[in-house]
Amino acid sequence: MAGEYDVVVQAVRVPGSGYVELVLESPELAQAVPGQFVHVLTPGTLRRPISFSRISAATATAAILFQVVGAGTAWLAGVAAGQTVNVLGPLGHGFPVPEPGRAWCVVGGGVGIPPLFAAVQRWGGQVAASAILGARTAAGLVMVEDFAERGTALTLTTDDGSRGEAGTVLGPFKRWLRAHPDGQVYACGPTPMLAGIAAATRGHRAFLALEQRMGCGIGACLACVVPVHGPSGPRYARVCSEGPVFAAERLAW
Amino acid sequence: MDMTVRLPRGLTLANPVMAASGTFGFGPEYGAYVDIGRLGGVSAKGVSPDPWPGNPPPRVWETPGGLLNSIGLQNPGIETFIAQDLPFLRESGTRVIVNVIGHTVEEYQRVAARLEREPGVDALEINISCPNIKAGGMSFGHDPDQAYAVTQAVRAVTDRPVMVKLSPNIESPARIAEAAVAAGADMISAINTLVGLAIDRHNRRPALGGVTGGLSGPAVKPVALRVVYEVAQAVAVPVIGMGGIAQVEDVLDFLMAGASAVMVGTITFQHPNRMLAIIDGLPAALAVHGFSSLPEIVGVALPTRRQESGR
Ligand SMILES: Cc1cc2nc3c(=O)[nH]c(=O)nc-3n(C[C@H](O)[C@H](O)[C@H](O)COP(=O)(O)OP(=O)(O)OC[C@H]3O[C@@H](n4cnc5c(N)ncnc54)[C@H](O)[C@@H]3O)c2cc1C
Ligand SMILES: Cc1cc2nc3c(=O)[nH]c(=O)nc-3n(C[C@H](O)[C@H](O)[C@H](O)COP(=O)(O)O)c2cc1C
Ligand code: FES
């Protein structure tokens, strides 16, 4: 159940320079749905939202993987195994269960990759997944080995061509979509990438995990909104509580 | 120690710590995190007659010791609030304060009149920081005459306790408070947020979708204390103080400056349960400073009280 928890950091991993993954001991967080997130207490005036990168009910752990981009993530990167962090979570609505019998593709850009691994970890056994993962440079392609270990069909892209295809994920994604007209898509990444996916997937089963600057993280302050289609025109929906996962066709971009 | 606060028109709080409007949602959101029944009260997010869409995102930006927000008073309108949120608040066991907003005097009055038919509303808080669209968009809170007009219009349609919430973005909040009290306000609450701006250096533009935003959090506490201190000397009605409260010592400061009760906002985003920790710690904190009752501390730092006590 969602709540405020002090959780022990069981292990700290460094998947690449500037990236850190914390494994958190928590039976409550281990009940999370892929796509949900925690709101982590840091020394700033606001908490920091970070998605689950792995969820394991069996070991009563859940992990978060983040890039160090500012003061909050820099502080979090300094937390050592055995120390405690305070989180609110699991928060928001995660991805739905993928429909069996339909090809499934996860498309991740940069730090949008971790929640998609959590989805493949949870459901990849029932529905075979293809993954198209992209980043600016090779260093940003996190969790590639984790996908590979699960036998996920992988396509990699980097903006600078340092690993995989040069360019963004949209090229290989559009090829995948043409080959799988009935396919379902889960995506997370920078807004231009998600907007491109939303435009390409009209009429498809497509779910996008969004980011927005947050205050409370639990639906109370109306900070974290995105425009969605409502019964009487566009309205602002809260990413933290109505998302972060939205059906692509609901978004009014 | 008895923590009860007795306010005008029979409004009685179990303790002096309430949730500030806009930081505690319309009620149910924090239910899973906070034992709401233990709060002195909850001021719900501002409600207008019809839904307001709010400002484009981003709507929050962290600043040193503070938070800049440009939510833009998004709300679903009074009918949805009454149908969806009020029942929860009514059952929660706390005192329910409805924060009232409008673009015209008539809009404020419509919300107040509509609530008069609803049980479970313990007080109204009139947020006069909204722009008056009939007066060129200047806020009602900037002009004593407009503050008077809004308060009087609300007073005319309600017997409930009415508090008027001051904007700090003016030269003399005390003049506005006097106008509101002259028009029938039972209490004054202060402060609302301070207008500010942040720059998004990466995108080379103002950081917030609404361009300017309201500053809150620990950074604004000295400004808030100054306003409470001035207003408490200018008017004879109780003052509800807020702005940057993060711990029990901050509450003592507001009470000494003349507040009869307080509201707590931004810190809740970090620590949903901080209000309860403050409530639990208040009797001991008062005792440490030599107070044997809550009313004893209210206003002790004001000039008149200092003269009486020779401090
Ligand atoms: C639902 C959700 C899930 C996320 N999952 C991940 C993840 O799995 N891995 C990861 O590396 N990052 C993730 N992010 C982005 C992450 O929240 C930011 O990188 C982080 O907050 C930056 O904090 P900072 O103090 O280091 O940076 P600063 O830039 O100093 O932060 C200043 C303020 O801006 C906010 N902020 C900055 N960037 C973002 C952003 N992209 N999104 C939202 N708020 C931001 C911060 O929270 C803080 O309030 C996620 C964001 C959201 C909304
Ligand atoms: C996100 C946010 C939304 C707010 N919305 C409202 C509102 O709807 N009505 C209102 O009167 N004040 C609103 N406020 C102001 C607070 O009630 C309070 O006056 C201010 O934040 C100072 O207190 P704090 O420093 O403890 O947060 C809002 C503040 C924040 C941070
Ligand atoms: S962050 Fe407060 S409503 Fe989403």
Side-chain angles (χ1 to χ4, degrees), chain A residues 123-163:
Chain A
W123 298 303
Q126 292 108 298
V127 186
S130 300
I132 302 172
L133 310 178
R136 260 199 289 273
T137 66
L141 284 172
V142 292
M143 304 194 92
V144 170
E145 293 69 31
D146 295 298
F147 283 95
E149 267 172 32
R150 309 211 145 232
T152 314
L154 273 169
T155 307
L156 305 180
T157 70
T158 49
D159 293 357
D160 66 353
S162 54
R163 188 169 177 193

mmCIF file of all heavy atoms in Angstrom, chain A residues 123-163:
data_model
loop_
_atom_site.group_PDB
_atom_site.id
_atom_site.type_symbol
_atom_site.label_atom_id
_atom_site.label_comp_id
_atom_site.label_asym_id
_atom_site.label_seq_id
_atom_site.Cartn_x
_atom_site.Cartn_y
_atom_site.Cartn_z
ATOM 1 N N TRP A 123 6.326 -9.058 -16.928
ATOM 2 C CA TRP A 123 5.407 -9.691 -17.870
ATOM 3 C C TRP A 123 6.076 -10.381 -19.043
ATOM 4 O O TRP A 123 5.405 -11.022 -19.850
ATOM 5 C CB TRP A 123 4.410 -8.641 -18.405
ATOM 6 C CG TRP A 123 3.559 -8.063 -17.319
ATOM 7 C CD1 TRP A 123 2.749 -8.754 -16.451
ATOM 8 C CD2 TRP A 123 3.409 -6.672 -16.972
ATOM 9 N NE1 TRP A 123 2.116 -7.887 -15.594
ATOM 10 C CE2 TRP A 123 2.502 -6.600 -15.890
ATOM 11 C CE3 TRP A 123 3.952 -5.495 -17.479
ATOM 12 C CZ2 TRP A 123 2.130 -5.382 -15.301
ATOM 13 C CZ3 TRP A 123 3.578 -4.285 -16.894
ATOM 14 C CH2 TRP A 123 2.680 -4.231 -15.823
ATOM 15 N N GLY A 124 7.423 -10.229 -19.164
ATOM 16 C CA GLY A 124 8.110 -10.783 -20.327
ATOM 17 C C GLY A 124 7.963 -12.296 -20.451
ATOM 18 O O GLY A 124 8.085 -12.852 -21.547
ATOM 19 N N GLY A 125 7.702 -12.978 -19.331
ATOM 20 C CA GLY A 125 7.505 -14.428 -19.366
ATOM 21 C C GLY A 125 6.227 -14.825 -20.084
ATOM 22 O O GLY A 125 6.168 -15.859 -20.747
ATOM 23 N N GLN A 126 5.191 -13.991 -19.984
ATOM 24 C CA GLN A 126 3.901 -14.321 -20.610
ATOM 25 C C GLN A 126 3.801 -13.803 -22.036
ATOM 26 O O GLN A 126 3.208 -14.437 -22.892
ATOM 27 C CB GLN A 126 2.726 -13.724 -19.811
ATOM 28 C CG GLN A 126 2.518 -14.349 -18.440
ATOM 29 C CD GLN A 126 2.946 -13.381 -17.342
ATOM 30 O OE1 GLN A 126 4.100 -12.999 -17.271
ATOM 31 N NE2 GLN A 126 2.013 -12.988 -16.495
ATOM 32 N N VAL A 127 4.330 -12.595 -22.266
ATOM 33 C CA VAL A 127 4.233 -11.968 -23.583
ATOM 34 C C VAL A 127 5.648 -11.602 -24.025
ATOM 35 O O VAL A 127 6.328 -10.844 -23.342
ATOM 36 C CB VAL A 127 3.366 -10.683 -23.514
ATOM 37 C CG1 VAL A 127 3.148 -10.121 -24.917
ATOM 38 C CG2 VAL A 127 2.043 -10.948 -22.826
ATOM 39 N N ALA A 128 6.091 -12.201 -25.148
ATOM 40 C CA ALA A 128 7.460 -11.933 -25.600
ATOM 41 C C ALA A 128 7.604 -10.450 -25.945
ATOM 42 O O ALA A 128 6.744 -9.863 -26.598
ATOM 43 C CB ALA A 128 7.783 -12.775 -26.830
ATOM 44 N N ALA A 129 8.679 -9.845 -25.466
ATOM 45 C CA ALA A 129 8.860 -8.405 -25.676
ATOM 46 C C ALA A 129 10.008 -8.132 -26.631
ATOM 47 O O ALA A 129 11.023 -8.829 -26.619
ATOM 48 C CB ALA A 129 9.139 -7.720 -24.349
ATOM 49 N N SER A 130 9.836 -7.105 -27.460
ATOM 50 C CA SER A 130 10.953 -6.502 -28.186
ATOM 51 C C SER A 130 11.261 -5.195 -27.489
ATOM 52 O O SER A 130 10.346 -4.532 -26.991
ATOM 53 C CB SER A 130 10.570 -6.181 -29.631
ATOM 54 O OG SER A 130 10.198 -7.356 -30.296
ATOM 55 N N ALA A 131 12.529 -4.825 -27.441
ATOM 56 C CA ALA A 131 12.884 -3.552 -26.818
ATOM 57 C C ALA A 131 13.679 -2.706 -27.792
ATOM 58 O O ALA A 131 14.623 -3.191 -28.414
ATOM 59 C CB ALA A 131 13.694 -3.781 -25.542
ATOM 60 N N ILE A 132 13.283 -1.445 -27.927
ATOM 61 C CA ILE A 132 14.055 -0.478 -28.702
ATOM 62 C C ILE A 132 14.518 0.573 -27.709
ATOM 63 O O ILE A 132 13.700 1.281 -27.112
ATOM 64 C CB ILE A 132 13.207 0.137 -29.824
ATOM 65 C CG1 ILE A 132 12.668 -0.969 -30.737
ATOM 66 C CG2 ILE A 132 14.027 1.149 -30.619
ATOM 67 C CD1 ILE A 132 11.656 -0.499 -31.758
ATOM 68 N N LEU A 133 15.824 0.607 -27.478
ATOM 69 C CA LEU A 133 16.378 1.474 -26.440
ATOM 70 C C LEU A 133 17.317 2.484 -27.074
ATOM 71 O O LEU A 133 18.163 2.116 -27.893
ATOM 72 C CB LEU A 133 17.141 0.639 -25.406
ATOM 73 C CG LEU A 133 16.395 -0.573 -24.839
ATOM 74 C CD1 LEU A 133 17.291 -1.337 -23.855
ATOM 75 C CD2 LEU A 133 15.099 -0.156 -24.160
ATOM 76 N N GLY A 134 17.158 3.740 -26.670
ATOM 77 C CA GLY A 134 18.010 4.779 -27.245
ATOM 78 C C GLY A 134 18.538 5.718 -26.183
ATOM 79 O O GLY A 134 17.994 5.811 -25.086
ATOM 80 N N ALA A 135 19.624 6.388 -26.523
ATOM 81 C CA ALA A 135 20.204 7.401 -25.633
ATOM 82 C C ALA A 135 21.046 8.330 -26.483
ATOM 83 O O ALA A 135 21.292 8.056 -27.665
ATOM 84 C CB ALA A 135 21.050 6.755 -24.544
ATOM 85 N N ARG A 136 21.494 9.436 -25.856
ATOM 86 C CA ARG A 136 22.332 10.364 -26.606
ATOM 87 C C ARG A 136 23.652 9.699 -26.987
ATOM 88 O O ARG A 136 24.087 9.765 -28.113
ATOM 89 C CB ARG A 136 22.584 11.629 -25.784
ATOM 90 C CG ARG A 136 21.675 12.778 -26.195
ATOM 91 C CD ARG A 136 22.226 14.112 -25.725
ATOM 92 N NE ARG A 136 22.106 14.241 -24.285
ATOM 93 C CZ ARG A 136 21.026 14.701 -23.660
ATOM 94 N NH1 ARG A 136 20.000 15.115 -24.352
ATOM 95 N NH2 ARG A 136 20.975 14.764 -22.355
ATOM 96 N N THR A 137 24.263 9.036 -25.970
ATOM 97 C CA THR A 137 25.537 8.359 -26.211
ATOM 98 C C THR A 137 25.464 6.960 -25.611
ATOM 99 O O THR A 137 24.533 6.639 -24.868
ATOM 100 C CB THR A 137 26.705 9.109 -25.523
ATOM 101 O OG1 THR A 137 26.517 9.008 -24.114
ATOM 102 C CG2 THR A 137 26.747 10.587 -25.918
ATOM 103 N N ALA A 138 26.465 6.141 -25.891
ATOM 104 C CA ALA A 138 26.479 4.751 -25.419
ATOM 105 C C ALA A 138 26.356 4.671 -23.901
ATOM 106 O O ALA A 138 25.724 3.762 -23.362
ATOM 107 C CB ALA A 138 27.775 4.064 -25.881
ATOM 108 N N ALA A 139 26.936 5.654 -23.183
ATOM 109 C CA ALA A 139 26.906 5.619 -21.718
ATOM 110 C C ALA A 139 25.483 5.647 -21.178
ATOM 111 O O ALA A 139 25.204 5.136 -20.094
ATOM 112 C CB ALA A 139 27.706 6.803 -21.152
ATOM 113 N N GLY A 140 24.552 6.249 -21.949
ATOM 114 C CA GLY A 140 23.165 6.367 -21.484
ATOM 115 C C GLY A 140 22.324 5.130 -21.724
ATOM 116 O O GLY A 140 21.162 5.075 -21.313
ATOM 117 N N LEU A 141 22.870 4.134 -22.405
ATOM 118 C CA LEU A 141 22.099 2.907 -22.678
ATOM 119 C C LEU A 141 22.199 1.983 -21.465
ATOM 120 O O LEU A 141 22.986 1.038 -21.449
ATOM 121 C CB LEU A 141 22.623 2.222 -23.941
ATOM 122 C CG LEU A 141 22.200 2.894 -25.252
ATOM 123 C CD1 LEU A 141 22.932 2.266 -26.433
ATOM 124 C CD2 LEU A 141 20.684 2.784 -25.456
ATOM 125 N N VAL A 142 21.378 2.271 -20.461
ATOM 126 C CA VAL A 142 21.432 1.488 -19.225
ATOM 127 C C VAL A 142 20.560 0.242 -19.338
ATOM 128 O O VAL A 142 19.642 0.184 -20.144
ATOM 129 C CB VAL A 142 20.978 2.340 -18.009
ATOM 130 C CG1 VAL A 142 21.995 3.435 -17.726
ATOM 131 C CG2 VAL A 142 19.598 2.922 -18.225
ATOM 132 N N MET A 143 20.905 -0.771 -18.568
ATOM 133 C CA MET A 143 20.126 -1.999 -18.393
ATOM 134 C C MET A 143 20.060 -2.879 -19.640
ATOM 135 O O MET A 143 19.231 -3.793 -19.707
ATOM 136 C CB MET A 143 18.700 -1.686 -17.900
ATOM 137 C CG MET A 143 18.683 -0.875 -16.609
ATOM 138 S SD MET A 143 17.083 -0.819 -15.801
ATOM 139 C CE MET A 143 17.185 -2.207 -14.694
ATOM 140 N N VAL A 144 20.898 -2.617 -20.630
ATOM 141 C CA VAL A 144 20.856 -3.412 -21.861
ATOM 142 C C VAL A 144 21.102 -4.898 -21.557
ATOM 143 O O VAL A 144 20.393 -5.779 -22.062
ATOM 144 C CB VAL A 144 21.898 -2.880 -22.875
ATOM 145 C CG1 VAL A 144 22.038 -3.826 -24.057
ATOM 146 C CG2 VAL A 144 21.488 -1.491 -23.353
ATOM 147 N N GLU A 145 22.074 -5.172 -20.669
ATOM 148 C CA GLU A 145 22.382 -6.568 -20.332
ATOM 149 C C GLU A 145 21.203 -7.235 -19.641
ATOM 150 O O GLU A 145 20.960 -8.429 -19.819
ATOM 151 C CB GLU A 145 23.629 -6.648 -19.440
ATOM 152 C CG GLU A 145 24.926 -6.235 -20.139
ATOM 153 C CD GLU A 145 24.991 -4.737 -20.456
ATOM 154 O OE1 GLU A 145 24.406 -3.935 -19.682
ATOM 155 O OE2 GLU A 145 25.585 -4.375 -21.495
ATOM 156 N N ASP A 146 20.477 -6.479 -18.825
ATOM 157 C CA ASP A 146 19.319 -7.056 -18.135
ATOM 158 C C ASP A 146 18.260 -7.507 -19.134
ATOM 159 O O ASP A 146 17.679 -8.582 -19.004
ATOM 160 C CB ASP A 146 18.721 -6.034 -17.160
ATOM 161 C CG ASP A 146 19.682 -5.685 -16.043
ATOM 162 O OD1 ASP A 146 20.036 -6.600 -15.275
ATOM 163 O OD2 ASP A 146 20.087 -4.511 -15.942
ATOM 164 N N PHE A 147 17.997 -6.663 -20.153
ATOM 165 C CA PHE A 147 17.046 -7.056 -21.197
ATOM 166 C C PHE A 147 17.573 -8.282 -21.931
ATOM 167 O O PHE A 147 16.826 -9.238 -22.185
ATOM 168 C CB PHE A 147 16.837 -5.919 -22.195
ATOM 169 C CG PHE A 147 15.938 -4.802 -21.722
ATOM 170 C CD1 PHE A 147 16.466 -3.658 -21.149
ATOM 171 C CD2 PHE A 147 14.559 -4.905 -21.863
ATOM 172 C CE1 PHE A 147 15.646 -2.624 -20.730
ATOM 173 C CE2 PHE A 147 13.726 -3.875 -21.448
ATOM 174 C CZ PHE A 147 14.271 -2.726 -20.874
ATOM 175 N N ALA A 148 18.876 -8.268 -22.277
ATOM 176 C CA ALA A 148 19.463 -9.355 -23.063
ATOM 177 C C ALA A 148 19.354 -10.681 -22.314
ATOM 178 O O ALA A 148 18.999 -11.710 -22.901
ATOM 179 C CB ALA A 148 20.924 -9.039 -23.393
ATOM 180 N N GLU A 149 19.599 -10.642 -20.997
ATOM 181 C CA GLU A 149 19.515 -11.865 -20.186
ATOM 182 C C GLU A 149 18.141 -12.505 -20.247
ATOM 183 O O GLU A 149 17.990 -13.698 -20.046
ATOM 184 C CB GLU A 149 19.793 -11.530 -18.712
ATOM 185 C CG GLU A 149 21.240 -11.688 -18.300
ATOM 186 C CD GLU A 149 21.449 -11.141 -16.894
ATOM 187 O OE1 GLU A 149 20.514 -11.218 -16.059
ATOM 188 O OE2 GLU A 149 22.553 -10.614 -16.649
ATOM 189 N N ARG A 150 17.099 -11.694 -20.452
ATOM 190 C CA ARG A 150 15.734 -12.218 -20.497
ATOM 191 C C ARG A 150 15.349 -12.598 -21.916
ATOM 192 O O ARG A 150 14.174 -12.875 -22.178
ATOM 193 C CB ARG A 150 14.750 -11.174 -20.005
ATOM 194 C CG ARG A 150 15.179 -10.644 -18.717
ATOM 195 C CD ARG A 150 14.063 -10.233 -17.828
ATOM 196 N NE ARG A 150 14.540 -10.554 -16.512
ATOM 197 C CZ ARG A 150 13.894 -11.270 -15.629
ATOM 198 N NH1 ARG A 150 12.681 -11.722 -15.907
ATOM 199 N NH2 ARG A 150 14.422 -11.559 -14.474
ATOM 200 N N GLY A 151 16.283 -12.532 -22.831
ATOM 201 C CA GLY A 151 15.990 -12.948 -24.202
ATOM 202 C C GLY A 151 15.156 -11.945 -24.972
ATOM 203 O O GLY A 151 14.513 -12.288 -25.971
ATOM 204 N N THR A 152 15.132 -10.695 -24.524
ATOM 205 C CA THR A 152 14.372 -9.660 -25.230
ATOM 206 C C THR A 152 15.063 -9.343 -26.556
ATOM 207 O O THR A 152 16.278 -9.163 -26.587
ATOM 208 C CB THR A 152 14.334 -8.371 -24.379
ATOM 209 O OG1 THR A 152 14.018 -8.724 -23.037
ATOM 210 C CG2 THR A 152 13.331 -7.383 -24.908
ATOM 211 N N ALA A 153 14.274 -9.282 -27.649
ATOM 212 C CA ALA A 153 14.844 -8.860 -28.931
ATOM 213 C C ALA A 153 15.190 -7.385 -28.839
ATOM 214 O O ALA A 153 14.321 -6.558 -28.574
ATOM 215 C CB ALA A 153 13.820 -9.092 -30.047
ATOM 216 N N LEU A 154 16.467 -7.041 -29.029
ATOM 217 C CA LEU A 154 16.933 -5.685 -28.739
ATOM 218 C C LEU A 154 17.335 -4.920 -29.988
ATOM 219 O O LEU A 154 18.012 -5.462 -30.860
ATOM 220 C CB LEU A 154 18.177 -5.761 -27.850
ATOM 221 C CG LEU A 154 17.974 -5.829 -26.338
ATOM 222 C CD1 LEU A 154 19.296 -6.162 -25.659
ATOM 223 C CD2 LEU A 154 17.438 -4.510 -25.819
ATOM 224 N N THR A 155 16.926 -3.659 -30.052
ATOM 225 C CA THR A 155 17.475 -2.734 -31.039
ATOM 226 C C THR A 155 17.980 -1.528 -30.269
ATOM 227 O O THR A 155 17.248 -0.996 -29.429
ATOM 228 C CB THR A 155 16.386 -2.290 -32.034
ATOM 229 O OG1 THR A 155 15.781 -3.460 -32.577
ATOM 230 C CG2 THR A 155 16.976 -1.444 -33.151
ATOM 231 N N LEU A 156 19.212 -1.129 -30.520
ATOM 232 C CA LEU A 156 19.791 0.000 -29.788
ATOM 233 C C LEU A 156 20.045 1.163 -30.733
ATOM 234 O O LEU A 156 20.390 0.948 -31.905
ATOM 235 C CB LEU A 156 21.112 -0.418 -29.132
ATOM 236 C CG LEU A 156 21.049 -1.631 -28.209
ATOM 237 C CD1 LEU A 156 22.434 -1.930 -27.619
ATOM 238 C CD2 LEU A 156 20.037 -1.441 -27.090
ATOM 239 N N THR A 157 19.867 2.384 -30.210
ATOM 240 C CA THR A 157 20.209 3.573 -31.000
ATOM 241 C C THR A 157 20.939 4.571 -30.109
ATOM 242 O O THR A 157 20.703 4.621 -28.910
ATOM 243 C CB THR A 157 18.957 4.292 -31.570
ATOM 244 O OG1 THR A 157 18.240 4.915 -30.503
ATOM 245 C CG2 THR A 157 18.038 3.348 -32.309
ATOM 246 N N THR A 158 21.829 5.337 -30.713
ATOM 247 C CA THR A 158 22.415 6.494 -30.024
ATOM 248 C C THR A 158 22.422 7.668 -30.996
ATOM 249 O O THR A 158 22.586 7.478 -32.212
ATOM 250 C CB THR A 158 23.871 6.235 -29.557
ATOM 251 O OG1 THR A 158 24.608 5.691 -30.646
ATOM 252 C CG2 THR A 158 23.929 5.288 -28.375
ATOM 253 N N ASP A 159 22.226 8.862 -30.434
ATOM 254 C CA ASP A 159 22.207 10.065 -31.276
ATOM 255 C C ASP A 159 23.532 10.223 -32.007
ATOM 256 O O ASP A 159 23.569 10.647 -33.166
ATOM 257 C CB ASP A 159 21.964 11.324 -30.423
ATOM 258 C CG ASP A 159 20.571 11.352 -29.821
ATOM 259 O OD1 ASP A 159 19.782 10.422 -30.108
ATOM 260 O OD2 ASP A 159 20.267 12.292 -29.059
ATOM 261 N N ASP A 160 24.645 9.884 -31.332
ATOM 262 C CA ASP A 160 25.971 10.106 -31.923
ATOM 263 C C ASP A 160 26.526 8.851 -32.604
ATOM 264 O O ASP A 160 27.667 8.852 -33.078
ATOM 265 C CB ASP A 160 26.952 10.605 -30.853
ATOM 266 C CG ASP A 160 27.238 9.547 -29.787
ATOM 267 O OD1 ASP A 160 26.565 8.474 -29.811
ATOM 268 O OD2 ASP A 160 28.115 9.783 -28.942
ATOM 269 N N GLY A 161 25.737 7.773 -32.638
ATOM 270 C CA GLY A 161 26.173 6.557 -33.322
ATOM 271 C C GLY A 161 27.244 5.778 -32.579
ATOM 272 O O GLY A 161 27.820 4.833 -33.126
ATOM 273 N N SER A 162 27.490 6.117 -31.297
ATOM 274 C CA SER A 162 28.556 5.429 -30.566
ATOM 275 C C SER A 162 28.175 3.985 -30.198
ATOM 276 O O SER A 162 29.034 3.180 -29.857
ATOM 277 C CB SER A 162 28.952 6.218 -29.311
ATOM 278 O OG SER A 162 27.819 6.475 -28.501
ATOM 279 N N ARG A 163 26.913 3.649 -30.250
ATOM 280 C CA ARG A 163 26.486 2.258 -30.086
ATOM 281 C C ARG A 163 25.163 2.067 -30.819
ATOM 282 O O ARG A 163 24.298 2.946 -30.772
ATOM 283 C CB ARG A 163 26.313 1.938 -28.594
ATOM 284 C CG ARG A 163 26.064 0.459 -28.343
ATOM 285 C CD ARG A 163 26.152 0.101 -26.877
ATOM 286 N NE ARG A 163 25.843 -1.298 -26.660
ATOM 287 C CZ ARG A 163 25.604 -1.838 -25.474
ATOM 288 N NH1 ARG A 163 25.642 -1.084 -24.375
ATOM 289 N NH2 ARG A 163 25.335 -3.130 -25.345
#
